[in-house]
């Protein structure tokens, strides 16, 4: 997917943690995302834009500006200062 900015989109930094970081081979990626988007569309866009994450799609959560997002119908407002994070499941021992 093209991550270049287009009208109505903003460049947003996406931080990757744990397994997401390992699979993508990067700590962060900048993705062009519509300024207004639903949670479910946002998650799909991020996982399509950042290669290698498909295997953990259903088990990850997203956070916006250090606050978890959790509703598929939630409308998200983004700007160029927004910071998204892909949070994979935590494991411990």
């Amino acid at each position: 997917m093209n991550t270049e900015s287009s009208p109505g989109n903003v460049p947003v930094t996406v931080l990757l943690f744990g397994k997401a970081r390992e699979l993508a081979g990067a700590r962060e990626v900048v993705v062009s995302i519509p300024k207004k988007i639903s949670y479910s569309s946002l998650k799909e866009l991020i996982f399509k834009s950042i290669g290698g994450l498909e295997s953990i799609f259903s088990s990850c959560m997203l956070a916006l500006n250090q606050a978890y997002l959790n509703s598929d119908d939630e409308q998200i407002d983004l700007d160029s200062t927004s910071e998204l994070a892909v949070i994979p499941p935590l494991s411990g021992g």
Side-chain angles (χ1 to χ4, degrees):
M1 175 170 278
N2 187 349
T3 58
E4 292 179 17
S5 192
S6 63
N9 286 10
V10 291
V12 176
T13 300
V14 180
L15 304 176
L16 304 166
F17 296 96
K19 188 70 171 176
R21 178 182 290 177
E22 179 184 316
L23 292 170
R27 299 181 121 185
E28 64 182 51
V29 177
V30 176
V31 178
S32 179
I33 301 173
K35 292 178 184 179
K36 290 187 178 272
I37 189 169
S38 70
Y39 175 82
S40 57
S41 294
L42 174 63
K43 188 172 178 184
E44 284 182 34
L45 181 90
I46 288 172
F47 278 74
K48 287 180 182 177
S49 297
I50 303 171
L53 301 182
E54 298 84 11
S55 65
I56 60 172
F57 178 86
S58 63
S59 61
C60 287
M61 293 183 65
L62 298 180
L64 173 62
N65 299 327
Q66 300 181 2
Y68 286 109
L69 300 171
N70 58 14
S71 173
D72 285 343
D73 296 329
E74 183 176 1
Q75 287 296 309
I76 313 296
D77 293 317
L78 301 170
D79 62 42
S80 61
T81 64
S82 298
E83 183 180 77
L84 288 166
V86 176
I87 312 292
L90 301 175
S91 62

